[in-house]
């Protein structure tokens, strides 16, 4: 008789890495649509480039490392890395920027460390930071919302700009691009304007953060809440990041509203929301204990505020996440939960 | 109403319990041959007291308990001992173990009754425990710890005796059916156990997906006026685990490495209570139990099974096809053991036989064969009812870092499988923990052996040194007299020769069968000897006479 004798348990929930990744990807899509609405087709094109490059790089590395292709390519993690990277690249960046970033993220950020599960840093952020340092001009060429719509620049024109560097109306990338609200506040504060003056004088700002950005933020928030509800991520990291930013932001804002923008500006501005719900929650590189995740989130919140306010980069999410990635193993060690039946509980 | 507490984590599982509760429990058919493993419990194996060829009666003792923690074994039916040999048993190792084989004679003849107890309350707790011990009762909920040991509070006060009828694993319904069909007997057994431990309070805990069992029990409690509380607990796996059940009922935690009795609790399974009732009231040792047969069988149901019945017989009786079997799980899908063959017998702890055939008509969604690396998502930690960090345990178990894995409290893991069940990377986490535990035990055993060997070695060295010294001393002593002169030597040889002569002479005296005889007896024997000597002389001479 040849009965099979696998070890217990004999049933499984059917939960898979691929289904988790799929849920994250789906949760990102509303924000991508909103982004496209305000800033044109660039993000869609960049996402396509980044995802293709990421998956190709993953396949290449799996081959080189003699790993099985199907289960690893099917897990969806490379797709997600590509999407997150595309989200952090300016929408009109030339194609090779995106290709370089995605390839770097997968090859160096992920596979040189051992691939899925072994990378200490968030691969998308590794790719992003490499690009930001190497190509600061391209990587800061953000856009004014609606500008493409006003200029009637459609999908094919955008393709042309990204792939061929053909700009319609003899414009240039510099002419089309503008700073992000966070950039602007930072530079203008340097010229002794108050926050309210800056915000009043510039159409870039909406109700409390940037026009367009606020809406993208809303959808990211919604997607993130859905992920928590679906138990793909836990509440600890996003709540810790956002409340830390809110508390520190409020403190400085109340002390000196002319110099410090409101806490909502920090939360809805820049990459905070995508960082809090989609990037810092990357399980592999984040802290894994419940208390550790709170510490990790607070750390990111503090670093975001500090770097934005006093550091050299206007948006600090990537650096904050990478720095806390380094601390994650130590945090985990010191935040082990109290085990059942061990001192500290009710005996 | 008792205020219930919560345990952390756990998983909600689909019950699949309906199929096997539709028909009333039936006795399983008597197999031609019963196979009784000598070790069906935690502790040392039982020792056979019968020999091959012996006739045994139903309920007769066939193996006595080993040393302190063990349980005796009784013949489940009358018949002949065919063999005592190795046979596959339901154990994760898959290794065969010594078993007693009984060929049943089909007569089911009971051994004579050994005790008749009219009122158990008049017995001393110790006497009650002895009856339970001699009936071979072990925990019927799964682990099989000898019941009388757990019923001995060793002088400590027992606040609450908890009867565990939670039965949280999918498919298993034997406790539920027992409660529905034998509520009064279970209640009686519980009261006997309560007397044995002198518990102040008594609770029967049942998951809230078994309303019929709750009703049956509540009714008997009303009828008898017993001071027992029935508590419905939430249906979430693993509520039926002793530690989690205690936490739900009292909010207290059993200390790590400790026992429930350390916090004044004693916890037993409902099946054990029924066995106690039968032992005390009916003088029947533990020779049968309720077993659920579920999965790929035509009629999933519960059977009252004689211990030692091969699983294949049970599967057949429930309309299963033995030819298409693919997996047979003894126990539930979360913690059960997949056995190599259906020739394995049902033992005292077998609560369920879950059958999967090649038809895949039963949804047992297994883990993927290929697991991805751990992505540290922490879902395992969220599900762990012990609040461990399964991902860290896995990490260090895989790295064979056995010190670190113990820092993360490997030995608090109850192997419930919740982490495994939810893991998106489909990692067989529990097998890693079991393997690591086994390795650590092995290392400790080796270390103990090494320690013992070292001690022996040191002792040996010491002895050698001492002997050397002694020899040296003796040599000195010996050398002096021998060197002195030949006279002494001669005398010594003379003495030795004398001793040899004396010995020879003594041997020539005809041996006597007995010593310490009275003078009268001795005289008689002497007379007989003399007669014999005469007779011998006569016979010795006769042939000569004939010749002449
Ligand atoms: S559930 Fe699996 S993948 Fe997630 S942390 Fe635990 S072991 Fe790792
Ligand atoms: S098997 Fe162990 S580690 Fe996994 S959930 Fe159960 S107690 Fe926790």
């Amino acid at each position: 008789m040849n009965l099979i004798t696998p070890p217990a348990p004999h049933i499984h929930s059917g939960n898979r890495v691929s289904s988790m990744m799929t849920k994250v990807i789906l949760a990102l899509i509303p924000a991508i649509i909103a982004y496209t609405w305000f800033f044109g087709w660039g993000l869609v094109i960049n996402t396509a480039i980044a995802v293709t490059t990421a998956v190709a790089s993953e396949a290449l590395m799996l081959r080189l490392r003699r790993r099985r292709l199907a289960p690893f390519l099917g897990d969806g993690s490379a797709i997600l890395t590509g999407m997150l990277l595309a989200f952090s690249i300016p929408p009109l960046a030339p194609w090779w920027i995106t290709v370089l970033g995605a390839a770097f993220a997968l090859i160096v950020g992920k596979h040189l460390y051992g691939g899925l599960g072994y990378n200490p840093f968030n691969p998308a952020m590794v790719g992003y930071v490499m690009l930001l340092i190497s190509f600061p001009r391209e990587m800061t060429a953000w856009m004014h919302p609606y500008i493409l719509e006003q200029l009637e620049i459609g999908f094919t024109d955008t393709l042309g700009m990204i792939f061929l560097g053909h700009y319609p109306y003899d414009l240039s990338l510099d002419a089309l691009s503008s700073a992000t609200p966070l950039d602007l506040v930072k530079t203008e504060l340097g010229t002794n304007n108050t926050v309210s003056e800056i915000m009043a004088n510039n159409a870039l700002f909406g109700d409390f953060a940037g026009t367009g950005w606020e809406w993208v933020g809303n959808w990211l928030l919604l997607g993130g809440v859905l992920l928590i509800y679906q138990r793909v991520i836990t509440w600890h990291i996003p709540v810790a990041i956002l409340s830390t930013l809110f508390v520190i932001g409020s403190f400085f804002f109340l002390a000196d509203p002319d110099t410090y923008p409101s806490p909502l500006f920090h939360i809805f501005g820049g990459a905070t929301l995508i960082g809090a719900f989609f990037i810092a929650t990357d399980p592999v590189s984040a802290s894994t204990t419940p208390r550790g995740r709170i510490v990790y989130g607070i750390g990111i919140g503090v670093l975001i505020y500090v770097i934005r306010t006093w550091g050299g980069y206007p948006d600090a999410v990537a650096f904050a996440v990478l720095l806390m990635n380094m601390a994650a193993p130590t945090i985990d060690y010191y935040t082990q939960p109290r085990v059942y039946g061990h001192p500290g509980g009710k005996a | 109403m008792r205020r219930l507490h919560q345990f952390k984590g756990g998983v909600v599982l689909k019950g699949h319990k309906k199929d096997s509760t539709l028909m009333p429990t039936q006795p399983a058919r008597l197999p031609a041959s019963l196979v009784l493993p000598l070790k069906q419990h935690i502790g040392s194996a039982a020792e056979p007291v019968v020999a091959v060829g012996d006739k045994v009666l139903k309920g007769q003792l066939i193996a006595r308990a080993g040393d302190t923690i063990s349980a005796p074994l009784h013949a489940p039916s009358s018949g002949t001992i065919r063999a005592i040999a190795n046979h596959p048993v339901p154990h994760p190792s898959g290794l065969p173990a010594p078993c007693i084989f009984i060929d049943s004679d089909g007569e089911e003849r009971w051994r004579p009754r050994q005790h008749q107890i009219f009122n158990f309350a008049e017995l001393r707790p110790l006497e009650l425990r002895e009856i339970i011990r001699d009936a071979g009762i072990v925990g019927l909920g799964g682990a099989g710890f000898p019941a009388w040991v757990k019923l001995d509070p060793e002088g400590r006060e027992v606040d609450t005796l908890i009867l565990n009828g939670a039965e949280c694993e999918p498919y298993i319904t034997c406790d539920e059916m027992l409660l529905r069909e034998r509520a009064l007997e279970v209640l009686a057994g519980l009261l006997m156990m309560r007397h044995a431990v002198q518990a102040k309070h008594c609770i029967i805990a049942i998951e809230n997906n078994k309303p019929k069992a709750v009703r049956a029990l509540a009714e008997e409690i009303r009828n008898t006026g017993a001071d027992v509380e029935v508590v419905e607990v939430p249906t979430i796996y693993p509520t039926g685990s002793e530690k989690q059940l205690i936490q739900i009922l009292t909010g207290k935690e059993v200390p790590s490495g400790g026992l429930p009795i350390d916090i004044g609790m004693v916890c037993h399974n409902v099946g054990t209570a029924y066995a106690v009732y039968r032992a005390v009231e009916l003088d029947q040792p533990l020779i049968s139990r309720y077993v659920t047969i579920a999965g790929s069988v035509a009629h999933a149901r519960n059977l009252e099974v004689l211990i030692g019945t091969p699983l294949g017989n049970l599967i057949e009786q429930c309309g299963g096809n033995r030819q298409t079997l693919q997996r047979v799980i003894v126990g539930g899908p979360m913690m059960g053991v997949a056995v190599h063959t259906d020739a394995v017998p049902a033992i005292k702890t077998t609560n369920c036989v879950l059958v999967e055939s090649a038809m895949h008509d039963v949804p047992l969604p297994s883990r993927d064969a290929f697991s991805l690396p751990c992505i540290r998502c922490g879902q395992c930690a969220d599900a762990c009812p012990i609040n461990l960090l399964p991902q860290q345990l896995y990490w260090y178990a895989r790295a064979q870092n056995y010190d670190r894995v113990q820092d993360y409290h490997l030995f608090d893991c109850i192997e419930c499988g919740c982490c495994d069940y939810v893991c998106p990377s489909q990692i067989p986490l529990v097998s890693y923990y079991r393997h690591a535990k086994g390795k650590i035990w092995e290392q400790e055993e080796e270390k103990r052996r090494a320690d013992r060997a070292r001690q022996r070695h040191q002792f040996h060295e010491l002895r050698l040194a001492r002997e050397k010294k002694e020899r040296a001393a003796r040599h000195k002593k010996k050398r002096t007299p021998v060197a002195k002169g030949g006279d002494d030597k001669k005398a010594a040889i003379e003495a030795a020769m004398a001793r040899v002569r004396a010995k020879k002479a003594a041997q020539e005296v005809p041996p006597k069968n007995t010593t310490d005889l009275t003078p009268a007896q001795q005289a008689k024997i002497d007379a007989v000897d003399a007669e014999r000597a005469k007779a011998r002389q006569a016979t010795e001479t006769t042939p000569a006479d004939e010749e002449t």
Side-chain angles (χ1 to χ4, degrees):
Chain A
M1 185 165 300
N2 278 323
L3 297 180
I4 54 166
T5 56
H10 303 277
I11 48 176
H12 191 273
S13 59
N15 188 17
R16 283 194 171 74
V17 176
S18 55
S19 54
M20 287 176 70
M21 296 293 172
T22 309
K23 284 179 186 160
V24 181
I25 290 167
L26 289 178
L28 256 181
I29 285 178
I32 293 181
I33 294 172
Y35 195 108
T36 308
W37 176 268
F38 290 107
F39 301 98
W41 289 101
L43 176 62
V44 176
I45 297 167
N46 282 348
T47 303
I49 302 174
V51 168
T52 313
T53 313
V55 172
S57 312
E58 173 118 310
L60 174 75
M61 292 311 285
L62 288 170
R63 256 291 150 69
L64 290 178
R65 297 177 53 224
R66 304 226 170 94
R67 295 294 195 280
R68 286 174 56 173
L69 284 183
F72 284 103
L73 279 183
D75 67 25
S77 58
I79 298 175
L80 182 60
T81 303
M83 289 176 79
L84 292 174
L85 180 73
F87 221 101
S88 25
I89 292 177
L92 292 184
W95 63 273
W96 50 268
I97 289 268
T98 315
V99 168
L100 267 183
F104 191 82
L106 264 292
I107 295 172
V108 178
K110 187 173 181 183
H111 280 282
L112 289 191
Y113 286 109
L116 180 75
Y118 294 92
N119 46 300
F121 299 109
N122 184 310
M125 292 302 98
V126 171
Y128 169 77
V129 165
M130 182 279 284
L131 291 175
L132 186 63
I133 294 171
S134 319
F135 309 101
R137 197 179 71 95
E138 287 83 355
M139 286 300 287
T140 47
W142 294 89
M143 271 192 308
H144 208 289
Y146 296 126
I147 186 156
L148 295 187
E149 200 185 72
Q150 283 156 10
L151 292 171
E152 296 187 339
I153 295 177
F155 182 73
T156 22
D157 296 325
T158 316
L159 270 181
M161 288 192 279
I162 292 176
F163 279 99
L164 307 169
H166 286 165
Y167 295 92
Y169 315 115
D170 295 324
L171 290 166
S172 66
L173 181 58
D174 287 340
L176 268 174
S177 64
S178 70
T180 62
L182 275 169
D183 284 328
L184 200 68
V185 169
K186 192 156 181 79
T187 39
E188 293 282 305
L189 276 173
T191 58
N192 284 332
N193 284 321
T194 65
V195 170
S196 43
E197 279 168 7
I198 301 167
M199 290 182 73
N201 293 340
N202 205 308
L204 213 50
F205 297 98
D207 298 330
F208 44 81
T211 320
W213 293 106
E214 293 164 358
W215 273 103
V216 175
N218 286 341
W219 290 108
L220 286 170
L221 188 63
L222 183 81
V225 171
L226 274 176
L227 287 182
I228 295 176
Y229 177 76
Q230 293 262 310
R231 294 170 181 254
V232 176
I233 59 174
T234 60
W235 58 267
H236 305 80
I237 294 175
V239 168
I241 294 179
L242 298 180
S243 41
T244 306
L245 262 184
F246 188 82
V247 170
I248 307 184
S250 304
F251 177 80
F252 284 101
F253 177 65
L254 293 178
D256 183 359
D258 282 348
T259 323
Y260 300 101
S262 79
L264 284 181
F265 179 81
H266 276 288
I267 289 175
F268 281 86
T272 311
L273 283 167
I274 195 171
F277 286 101
F278 292 87
I279 294 172
T281 51
D282 161 38
V284 177
S285 53
S287 183
T288 188
T289 68
R291 272 192 304 143
R293 284 174 174 161
I294 290 177
V295 175
Y296 173 84
I298 292 175
I300 291 178
V302 170
L303 283 172
I304 290 177
Y305 196 87
V306 169
I307 301 176
R308 272 185 186 172
T309 312
W310 297 288
Y313 286 93
D315 200 349
V317 172
F319 291 103
V321 169
L322 290 178
L323 285 171
M324 290 310 289
N325 284 167
M326 284 200 276
T330 317
I331 296 176
D332 284 346
Y333 186 77
Y334 288 105
T335 53
Q336 294 177 41
R338 185 190 66 83
V339 173
Y340 177 106
H342 283 259
K346 219 175 140 198
Chain B
M1 264 316 267
R2 172 175 288 270
R3 194 175 77 81
L4 292 182
H5 303 258
Q6 264 189 336
F7 66 85
K8 197 214 134 254
V11 290
V12 177
L13 301 172
K14 210 163 169 295
H16 298 287
K17 294 188 186 238
K18 198 163 151 246
D19 288 354
S20 57
T21 51
L22 295 177
M23 284 183 286
T25 305
Q26 209 181 33
R29 283 198 285 265
L30 178 67
S33 175
L34 292 155
V35 184
L36 294 132
L38 290 174
K39 190 167 183 302
Q40 309 189 9
H41 49 262
I42 287 176
S44 55
E47 296 157 1
V49 293
V50 287
V52 175
D54 283 2
K55 292 246 181 287
V56 290
L57 295 171
K58 187 175 176 120
Q60 183 182 329
L61 182 77
I62 54 173
R64 62 160 184 262
D67 52 28
T68 40
I69 295 189
S70 184
L73 213 53
H74 303 81
S77 185
S78 55
T80 314
I81 306 289
R82 173 160 50 90
I84 300 175
N86 280 348
H87 189 80
V89 296
H91 188 269
S93 72
L95 297 174
C99 299
I100 299 180
F101 293 70
I102 300 178
D103 283 338
S104 55
D105 57 15
E107 292 176 23
E108 298 264 34
R109 257 182 310 130
W110 270 95
R111 59 141 164 70
R113 208 176 160 122
Q114 290 171 339
H115 66 67
Q116 181 92 47
I117 290 154
F118 295 102
N119 184 2
F120 71 84
E122 283 167 8
L123 294 177
R124 280 181 298 133
L126 178 70
E127 291 168 322
L128 206 46
R129 275 200 292 276
E130 276 169 359
I131 293 173
I132 292 168
R133 182 193 64 198
D134 295 342
I137 299 175
V138 302
L140 296 196
F145 199 79
W148 67 273
V149 182
K150 265 174 93 181
L151 284 171
D152 186 1
E154 291 176 330
R156 280 175 290 186
E157 193 151 280
V158 176
D159 181 75
T160 310
L161 170 62
I162 299 170
L163 202 60
N164 185 348
E167 202 167 47
C168 56
E169 276 231 48
Y171 293 99
I172 309 180
T173 56
C174 60
D175 289 350
E176 176 181 354
M177 291 308 277
L178 186 67
L179 283 170
R180 276 163 60 172
E181 297 173 353
R182 308 276 162 92
L184 186 59
E185 288 88 338
V186 170
L187 192 59
L190 173 62
L191 296 177
M192 291 165 185
M193 288 169 141
R194 177 186 205 162
H195 183 63
V197 295
Q198 299 283 308
K200 277 195 246 151
H201 307 283
C202 245
I203 298 178
I204 303 185
I206 304 175
E207 263 187 354
N208 58 13
N209 60 354
K210 310 175 188 25
K212 286 187 183 156
V214 173
R215 238 176 299 145
L217 205 58
E219 191 179 320
E220 293 305 344
I221 291 175
R222 213 171 326 110
N223 292 345
T224 54
D227 173 25
V228 172
E229 192 183 346
V230 179
V231 181
E232 285 188 75
V233 295
T235 304
I236 175 168
Y237 180 85
T239 346
S241 150
E242 192 171 77
K243 289 179 170 180
Q244 275 58 48
L245 188 60
I246 288 175
Q247 192 173 18
I248 288 179
L249 293 173
T250 67
K252 293 182 189 173
E253 293 178 9
V254 180
S256 169
L259 294 171
I261 185 71
D262 297 339
I263 51 170
M265 308 277 154
V266 172
C267 193
H268 279 278
N269 173 266
V270 290
T272 315
Y274 180 56
V276 166
Y277 161 80
R278 292 215 304 180
V280 176
E281 186 77 25
L282 309 177
D283 184 29
Q284 295 179 355
L286 179 56
I287 53 167
S288 70
R289 63 159 298 148
Y290 272 40
V291 178
T292 308
I293 321 294
S296 305
V297 287
H299 318 286
R301 69 181 311 163
N302 280 274
L303 295 174
E304 187 154 19
V305 173
L306 291 182
I307 307 297
T309 308
L311 301 186
N313 293 39
L314 303 176
I315 294 170
E316 244 164 24
Q317 184 171 350
C318 293
N321 183 348
R322 289 180 65 184
Q323 308 315 313
T324 60
L325 292 182
Q326 192 163 42
R327 173 161 52 165
V328 174
I329 299 163
V330 175
M334 290 300 279
M335 295 182 76
V337 177
V339 293
H340 289 82
T341 154
D342 69 353
V344 158
I347 61 171
K348 292 175 180 177
T349 54
T350 305
N351 47 11
C352 178
V353 180
L354 183 53
V355 183
E356 185 191 35
S357 80
M359 315 299 181
H360 290 296
D361 50 348
V362 167
L364 279 182
S366 298
R367 214 183 294 109
D368 292 347
F370 183 84
S371 24
L372 287 172
C374 168
I375 58 166
R376 300 170 57 76
C377 64
Q379 299 197 0
C380 48
D382 293 340
C384 178
I386 302 290
N387 216 10
L388 297 165
L389 292 173
Q391 68 272 51
Q392 307 292 67
L393 287 176
Y394 164 66
W395 183 265
Y396 292 115
R398 213 169 90 104
Q400 307 193 339
N401 187 338
Y402 295 133
D403 290 332
R404 224 16 186 316
V405 84
Q406 288 183 79
D407 288 349
Y408 279 93
H409 310 293
L410 174 66
F411 283 96
D412 284 290
C413 168
I414 57 171
E415 299 181 14
C416 64
C418 290
C419 50
D420 208 309
Y421 180 78
V422 300
C423 174
S425 290
Q426 313 248 337
I427 304 170
L429 293 167
V430 178
S431 353
Y432 278 97
Y433 307 152
R434 253 192 240 129
H435 182 81
K437 284 182 187 174
K439 272 275 167 321
I440 292 168
W441 282 323
E442 229 170 70
Q443 281 178 1
E444 276 173 7
E445 184 51 37
E446 228 155 68
K447 195 167 154 281
R448 259 198 301 275
R449 252 207 307 273
D451 282 350
R452 271 202 301 268
R454 203 181 37 248
Q455 273 173 11
R456 260 204 309 273
H457 180 71
Q458 283 168 350
F459 186 72
H460 183 69
E461 300 269 270
L462 229 73
R463 202 182 60 205
L464 281 187
R466 199 187 57 212
E467 279 176 0
K468 207 163 143 197
K469 233 173 32 211
E470 282 172 1
R471 242 198 331 272
R474 236 182 297 138
H475 252 67
K476 230 197 264 158
K477 236 196 325 232
K478 243 195 222 153
R479 235 177 285 135
T480 8
V482 170
K484 242 183 192 164
D487 275 4
D488 280 353
K489 205 173 161 186
K490 224 182 190 170
I493 290 172
E494 229 3 85
M497 294 295 275
R499 262 211 304 281
V500 169
R501 269 196 305 274
K503 202 171 162 194
K504 264 201 185 131
Q507 269 166 5
E508 270 153 24
V509 175
K512 285 182 182 137
N513 293 337
T514 40
T515 46
D516 299 335
L517 300 169
T518 59
Q521 281 170 327
Q522 188 59 57
K524 229 183 195 164
I525 289 169
D526 285 346
V528 173
D529 280 351
E531 284 292 307
R532 267 207 215 122
K534 238 192 258 163
R536 200 165 44 227
Q537 260 169 20
T539 46
E540 270 165 13
T541 48
T542 322
D545 285 353
E546 276 171 2
E547 265 171 25
T548 48

